[in-house]
Amino acid sequence: MRLDFAPMEGLTTSLFRQLHHEYFPGVDRYYIPFVSPTKEHKFTAKDLREIAPEYNEGIQAVPQLLSKVADDVIWAVWKLQRMGYAEVNINLGCPSGTVTAKKKGSGMLSDLQALDQFLDGIFSGVSCAISVKTRLGVEDPEEFDAILEIYNRYPIHELIIHPRVRKDFYKHPIRTEEFEKALQKSKNPVCFNGGIVTASDFQACEQRFPQVNSIMIGQGLIADPFLAGKIRSGTSSDVKILREFHDRLFDGYSERFGDRNNAMRRMKELWFYLSHSFADCDSHRKDLLKARDVDSYRQIVSSIFSQLNLLDECPGGW
């Protein structure tokens, strides 16, 4: 079964993807965090640092688009095809308030007529494989029956279902029973996304839903970068490898941003998850997230790597 790395804004950057692929084998495809095409029909320099082929060389990458305007998506898909991408993903799952307030992401799930018109416009105007990342609805998972009827009208390359509704954000437990119902009714291939943080989680999902195309993991792979290897070949965590990965990522961000303090802030986002793979890390995590300068940050990081043990399995709980 295919293992995909979910797009996570601010975390799974092109630099992160390249280094993760180098140090931690086992991921089949990396989904690129969304870019938002606009009516100007021009990718920004920031967009291109994520989607340009040279930033994804040597890995299987799938770009993701966030929009509510079919014409803008069609333009972006055409440009991405010319870059060499065979698949483009549409984000209909993001629960962020700033996104949903604009009726984008999972905010589109509240207006089924607009959703249908949006998808009709896209599938009438592109030849590229289009996958869709979705939630079960906005307020109640019972909304998904009507949403799925719309998805079933279109030749979606893969329907990536995160089995929560928008109001759940990432706190409510995964709604596994609702996913099972959706899987039975979908006319398109389905991917499971959400709640996988250990190899046993992956294997349980694989056994329960053998008909799914793939399993997508996001937070679990950030918290435990070794997770794909544990799933594929039973490899173990190695603090030396993780330290080298961390140092190269920090140095890479420092060079990219031209500022080590900005690099530190980006790395803190990573540590919000990564710290959960270390035993007894609560106090170190708090100190690290409060660090105001790079020297303090590096001292705390060195203490984590030298004094704390890596857990065999990440317990989650963020």
Side-chain angles (χ1 to χ4, degrees):
M1 188 174 290
R2 202 177 66 235
L3 193 164
D4 295 335
F5 204 139
M8 296 185 66
E9 187 180 10
L11 287 167
T12 59
T13 62
S14 57
L15 177 62
F16 177 94
R17 295 192 300 272
Q18 288 288 353
L19 289 174
H20 186 277
H21 179 69
E22 178 180 343
Y23 282 94
F24 310 110
V27 172
D28 294 305
R29 300 196 304 184
Y30 292 81
Y31 280 69
I32 303 171
F34 67 76
V35 297
S36 297
T38 64
K39 62 182 180 181
E40 285 78 21
H41 290 182
K42 181 179 180 180
F43 287 129
T44 66
K46 180 181 177 182
D47 292 337
L48 291 172
R49 281 195 298 271
E50 295 300 321
I51 60 176
E54 58 266 30
Y55 290 100
N56 295 285
E57 188 174 356
I59 67 174
Q60 290 292 317
V62 179
Q64 185 184 78
L65 301 175
L66 178 74
S67 177
K68 62 179 181 180
V69 181
D71 286 346
D72 296 340
V73 171
I74 291 168
W75 167 82
V77 169
W78 176 76
K79 292 290 287 186
L80 290 164
Q81 279 187 286
R82 294 196 59 165
M83 291 180 187
Y85 291 104
E87 176 188 342
V88 177
N89 182 255
I90 306 299
N91 183 327
L92 297 178
C94 179
S96 167
T98 56
V99 169
T100 57
K102 299 174 184 177
K103 297 297 182 182
K104 297 180 181 180
S106 60
M108 290 202 74
L109 304 180
S110 63
D111 187 338
L112 299 191
Q113 182 177 0
L115 175 63
D116 194 16
Q117 291 174 348
F118 175 69
L119 292 174
D120 182 63
I122 292 171
F123 283 96
S124 297
V126 303
S127 58
C128 181
I130 299 294
S131 58
V132 170
K133 194 169 189 290
T134 186
R135 287 192 171 223
L136 296 174
V138 178
E139 298 288 335
D140 191 306
E142 290 186 4
E143 298 169 28
F144 200 64
D145 278 344
I147 294 169
L148 187 57
E149 283 184 18
I150 293 173
Y151 290 151
N152 281 341
R153 296 171 191 166
Y154 300 99
I156 294 172
H157 179 69
E158 185 171 62
L159 185 63
I160 303 165
I161 301 176
H162 183 101
R164 291 184 173 107
V165 293
R166 185 265 171 181
K167 76 172 184 179
D168 293 339
F169 286 87
Y170 296 97
K171 294 297 185 181
H172 191 283
I174 290 291
R175 299 175 185 269
T176 311
E177 299 298 328
E178 301 300 327
F179 176 84
E180 188 164 23
K181 294 176 187 176
L183 180 60
Q184 294 169 355
K185 296 177 181 178
S186 178
K187 294 181 180 179
N188 294 301
V190 172
C191 169
F192 180 93
N193 168 227
I196 305 294
V197 296
T198 67
S200 56
D201 289 339
F202 186 96
Q203 291 154 5
C205 184
E206 193 174 32
Q207 291 170 7
R208 180 165 182 177
F209 307 119
Q211 64 271 52
V212 303
N213 263 21
S214 56
I215 296 174
M216 177 178 279
I217 308 174
Q219 295 170 332
L221 278 167
I222 297 290
D224 181 2
F226 296 93
L227 179 56
K230 292 175 180 178
I231 291 169
R232 295 304 193 199
S233 56
T235 57
S236 301
S237 300
D238 186 318
V239 71
K240 292 182 180 179
I241 293 174
L242 186 58
R243 179 64 190 265
E244 185 175 333
F245 166 76
H246 168 277
D247 291 350
R248 284 188 62 191
L249 187 60
F250 178 81
D251 290 343
Y253 281 140
S254 297
E255 181 179 351
R256 175 172 290 188
F257 300 147
D259 186 304
R260 291 163 69 83
N261 284 307
N262 285 338
M264 174 188 71
R265 284 188 279 272
R266 180 58 59 88
M267 295 300 292
K268 285 183 180 183
E269 297 180 43
L270 174 69
W271 277 106
F272 176 79
Y273 296 100
L274 183 61
S275 59
H276 289 82
S277 280
F278 288 85
D280 304 315
C281 197
D282 287 351
S283 62
H284 287 77
R285 181 189 309 116
K286 292 176 183 177
D287 291 341
L288 188 150
L289 295 178
K290 290 190 291 186
R292 294 178 177 239
D293 59 78
V294 172
D295 287 341
S296 298
Y297 168 83
R298 299 195 73 156
Q299 288 174 6
I300 298 165
V301 167
S302 292
S303 295
I304 292 173
F305 281 121
S306 63
Q307 298 175 13
L308 304 185
N309 293 321
L310 271 174
L311 298 168
D312 292 332
E313 286 193 338
C314 177
W318 38 80

